[in-house]
Amino acid sequence: MKLQLFFLLTLITSFCSAQDTERCKDIEPTYLQRLPGFYIGDCRFSEYKEYEFIYYVNGKATTLKKAGVYREIWYRKNPDETRNYSSEQILLNYNNAILKNKGKVLDNSKTTMTASINGKEVILQIPTSNSSNVGSYQIFMVE
């Protein structure tokens, strides 16, 4: 009886925790780590696409056009995740990953970053709102 209850609880738990969208499972680069408790809800991928990053430095808009391998990843919070993550925590997580790879942050709000990773230039942007409990976030990147 105890073994049957264990299997039933395991089965229920696995259905409660959301999983990455099947077609998006391999889109996430290994040098980036999503926050715990989030899954990939949707994605876009292109072997080659031109993308325009717009970011602000001291109130002045800067436009940076880059082309290459394009990824757009939408992360959503698991319904059973009890931890609250702020917009600042999300940005800090990715800023640290880029800085660890000797990259730099390009804007005052720390939403746009660049680094040379594995011999490739990577530009990454994470538009965020000012929230203390983020339910989803997205990443735009070009390698």
Side-chain angles (χ1 to χ4, degrees), residues 9-92:
L9 290 174
T10 302
L11 185 64
I12 290 170
T13 304
S14 66
F15 284 117
C16 292
S17 182
Q19 296 180 2
D20 291 347
T21 299
E22 184 64 34
R23 66 182 172 76
C24 300
K25 286 189 180 216
D26 296 326
I27 194 168
E28 196 171 38
T30 57
Y31 51 83
L32 293 180
Q33 296 286 317
R34 73 180 95 167
L35 286 169
F38 284 83
Y39 68 97
I40 299 175
D42 200 7
C43 66
R44 307 277 183 278
F45 177 82
S46 177
E47 288 289 334
Y48 184 86
K49 180 179 177 176
E50 187 174 283
Y51 187 78
E52 187 175 86
F53 296 91
I54 300 172
Y55 59 93
Y56 295 86
V57 178
N58 299 325
K60 184 180 175 193
T62 301
T63 302
L64 179 63
K65 284 186 181 181
K66 290 292 178 177
V69 176
Y70 173 81
R71 289 180 175 92
E72 182 178 325
I73 307 171
W74 292 75
Y75 293 99
R76 294 194 176 101
K77 193 173 182 182
N78 282 316
D80 57 345
E81 178 58 59
T82 59
R83 291 174 283 191
N84 291 338
Y85 291 105
S86 69
S87 302
E88 290 176 1
Q89 285 175 291
I90 291 169
L91 290 175
L92 182 61

Side-chain angles (χ1 to χ4, degrees), residues 55 91 95 105 107 109-113 124-128:
Y55 59 93
L91 290 175
N95 281 210
V105 176
D107 62 335
S109 59
K110 300 180 181 180
T111 61
T112 309
M113 302 148 252
L124 173 73
Q125 190 169 58
I126 307 168
T128 61

Side-chain angles (χ1 to χ4, degrees), residues 112-125:
T112 309
M113 302 148 252
T114 184
S116 178
I117 301 173
N118 301 326
K120 299 175 187 173
E121 180 185 19
V122 176
I123 308 289
L124 173 73
Q125 190 169 58

Side-chain angles (χ1 to χ4, degrees), residues 89-104:
Q89 285 175 291
I90 291 169
L91 290 175
L92 182 61
N93 178 60
Y94 290 96
N95 281 210
N96 286 340
I98 292 297
L99 295 174
K100 180 180 175 183
N101 285 290
K102 299 183 177 138
K104 62 182 177 180

Side-chain angles (χ1 to χ4, degrees), residues 2-12:
K2 288 182 183 181
L3 188 58
Q4 290 170 332
L5 183 59
F6 172 76
F7 284 122
L8 180 62
L9 290 174
T10 302
L11 185 64
I12 290 170

